[in-house]
Amino acid sequence: MPLPLLRRLSLTTLTLLITLPGACTKPTPAAEKTMVFAAASLTAAFEELAEAFAQGHPGARLDLHFAGTPQLVLQLQEGAAVDVFASADQANMQKVVATGKTTAAPATFARNRLTIVVEKGNPKGIAGLADLSRQDLRVVLCGPEVPAGRYARQALDQAKVAVASRSDEPSVKAVVSKVALGEVDAGIVYVTDAAGAKDKVDAVAIADEQNVIASYPIVRLQCGHAEDPVGEQFVAFVLSAAGQAVLARHGFAAP
Amino acid sequence: MTPAPRFPVLLWLPAALAAAFFLLPLVGLCQRAPWSSLATRLASPAIRDALWLSLQCSAAATTLSLLFGLPLAAWLAAGSSRLRTAVRVLVTLPMVLPPVVGGVAMLLAYGRNGLIGSAAEPWLGFALPFTTPGVVLAETYVAMPFFVLAVEGGLRGLDPRYAEAAATLGAGPGRVFRTVTVPMLLPTLRSGLLLAWARALGEFGATITFAGNLAGATRTMPLAVYTALETDPDAAITLSLLMVGIAAAVLFPLRRHWLPSR
Amino acid sequence: MKLAADLHLRRGTLRLDAGFVVAPGSTVALLGPNGAGKTTALRCLAGLLRLDAGSITLGERRLDGGPDGPFVPPEHRGIGLLFQDHLLFPHRTALQNVAYGVRGASRKRARAIAGAWLERVGIATPELRPAQLSGGQAQRVALARALASNPSALLLDEPLAAIDASARFELRRLLREHLRAFPGPRLLVLHDIADALALADRLVVLEQGQVVQAGSINDLVCRPRSRYVADLLGVNSFVGDCRDGHVRLGAASLTVATATTGEVLVTVHPRAVSLFRSRPEGSPRNVWLAPVLGLEHQLERVRVELGGALPVVAEVTRAAVDELRLADGGEVWVAIKATELVVTAR
């Protein structure tokens, strides 16, 4: 079947060519490793989860790969051998379910909320979403293709606040770093990102009635190692009380 | 006609593999391309904006590379000293650094709170990040090294005695540079400019980091490909084919100037 | 306008310490083995190298006074330089090349002057580029270019070295004509003595950066002061120990007419070496039997290479070759008068 092979070659090449260097590790796992693809906003939490998991499962070896959710989906669609996939939204998860590679229905394991991040000390005196339309402010959001960017626009629409984003940033991390560098005055990211970068930026809360709740689904895929129980065990661990405690520490809300 | 030297049989296989290595991604793009909707996709305002912006910015970056890179290359080639070596390493740095790192470094220097960015903002009337001039700057940062190194190599390859001959005919250093060095360097200048332009056109990492990703202002073709890839792979492929087409349209007629002369 | 040079410069292994003067309207040939510093000296004069010490003056004007003195850059020296490989600008036509150096004239006027110079050197195709010219033609254009810049002095670095034999004679004639017509000092670097004889009034011989001999061609032929000079001029030369009117040269010995003592250079012109079929009677003090190694035919005369304990070259007429049956090889008697041997203390 030459056609799928060519397809795979072309799109994987394209993805690798334009993926930020350093943002992606090998898309295929070493033979005995279990490959976990997780949204970029889960980076710190999943690193800790993997460490805790390894203590309870001495033989298991996890390979974590973080990137923007759409990018992970693309790599998955193009044939990356993945055992576990954790998405930042349901829409992208549906694309993965549509590939027919999932072994069970996805389970929501965490929720997240949006927050405004501002420069340390909040020099522009930003109090809430409504302030973001001020003419003297420079604001960036994630691009609309990124879950965080879509949620942010949803929240702004609900609050009837018109914001001209200076740039469609490729990830929440890029938004945080632009704010931290002082290139822009404010951005909208997840509370977990703000918590992780609290020594570089300050968070300004978004009122509950204006906020959008992001839910994170996780699923086990069969395109990895079918007989390997580690992927199944890791999903169970994330959903367990011990796993939830780790996520809570990183600012995620329970599902 | 002298017969061409025979090609060693042992090298056939690796040579063919190398050629195929570059050919296959192109074949893949063509295979996967949404040919039926290609025309309408290409006519869309988003693609038109990205294309126009890319052409403008890469042309501006190439011009800046020429205006500032040629004097720098001339100085680098004019002798050998520790200072020159240090500057050469500095110029080479953007070729080695991941462009994203280059973009971050540019933010630290030319950003709103950067080393000179903060001083330059009131003077320019705007901050460079998130603007089209910011894109030009980011592209120049990654493209100019190719031009400078090519031209320095070309200058070092010139026989210095032509300049000496011109001097004995009464030409001062300025006239020698203008009337002897530059004309004799013309083939190298052309290939250097093409290299720089090609690099500027394909620039992605430094641009998205320094100038951001805003349709119509800073979203050049590579950024448009990246953005489209996450939502609409067919659009990404269309854009990629367009870039291949532009590169071929420019580089093919000018191949004599960037291929090594025979 | 006289060109006076006292050159002191160290460059790599070369140590140049040479002084000479070129009078206006005279042509001096700078000769010497490879690496003697001839081209370096020329580059100093043209201003392409700066002296470590010494001075260069053209007329009343000091062009280089060493590190603490004045230094006139090449473009302000008014010294024309012709390179061995012409160095015509490849991107300019012959006419544009010549017009390049024309000073103080409008573009149109400069072209007219350049055209006239090209005509004078016999180039009828001013629109050709250097790549389309033969070596000889290119060197003519280069000569026109150097002369059209109206220099006060003219330097030529091996102007005939890269020219093939067929064009060489004609170019040499042209050079001589234009050198004669040039009013200022003329200095040529050469390695061929025939070119020097044809073009120069005086010779300056440079060896290892030092002037070993300077003078007219006659001076040099009569009293060559080094083996290089003797070889260059085709004169026999030997280095030996002189005592009591005898010079010991390895196994051989020569009787000389001088009272010098110590190490000497003995030279003798090939024409002063006489050959005989049988042992000559009479005055020659130095007589020996030597094998004939070979003959070298020149236009009128024949050079005879002789072996033995004291290898020498004799020059005889064609008639003598037949008379002495030299073509058969064998041995002949060699005779040299003591008074023909020139002895120079070293």
Side-chain angles (χ1 to χ4, degrees), chain C residues 70-85:
Chain C
F71 179 80
V72 179
E75 63 269 26
H76 295 132
R77 285 199 177 189
I79 292 185
L81 177 56
L82 188 69
F83 296 83
Q84 174 177 344
D85 41 355

Side-chain angles (χ1 to χ4, degrees), chain A residues 3 6-7 10-11 14 18 20 70-71 74 78 138 145 165-170 178 181-185, chain B residues 24 28-29 31-32 107-108 111-113 127 129-130 204 208-209 212-214 219 226-227 229-231 240:
Chain A
L3 192 104
L6 282 177
R7 284 185 172 183
S10 68
L11 262 185
L14 199 60
I18 64 170
L20 307 190
Q71 213 174 70
L74 185 69
E78 294 304 321
R138 292 154 64 103
E145 68 282 354
S165 172
R166 290 304 187 107
S167 167
D168 292 342
E169 292 295 312
K178 292 266 155 75
L181 284 168
E183 291 305 332
V184 295
D185 304 306
Chain B
L24 276 175
L29 274 180
Q31 185 91 44
R32 184 73 176 263
L107 278 178
L108 297 177
R112 210 154 63 140
N113 294 338
F130 309 116
F204 170 76
I208 199 166
T209 313
N213 177 18
L214 188 64
R219 185 177 293 164
Y226 176 81
T227 307
L229 200 53
E230 310 209 320
T231 48
S240 305

Side-chain angles (χ1 to χ4, degrees), chain C residues 179-195:
Chain C
L179 287 175
R180 290 245 165 103
F182 182 78
R186 290 98 60 157
L187 181 67
L188 298 104
V189 163
L190 293 171
H191 71 274
D192 187 327
I193 188 68
D195 293 338

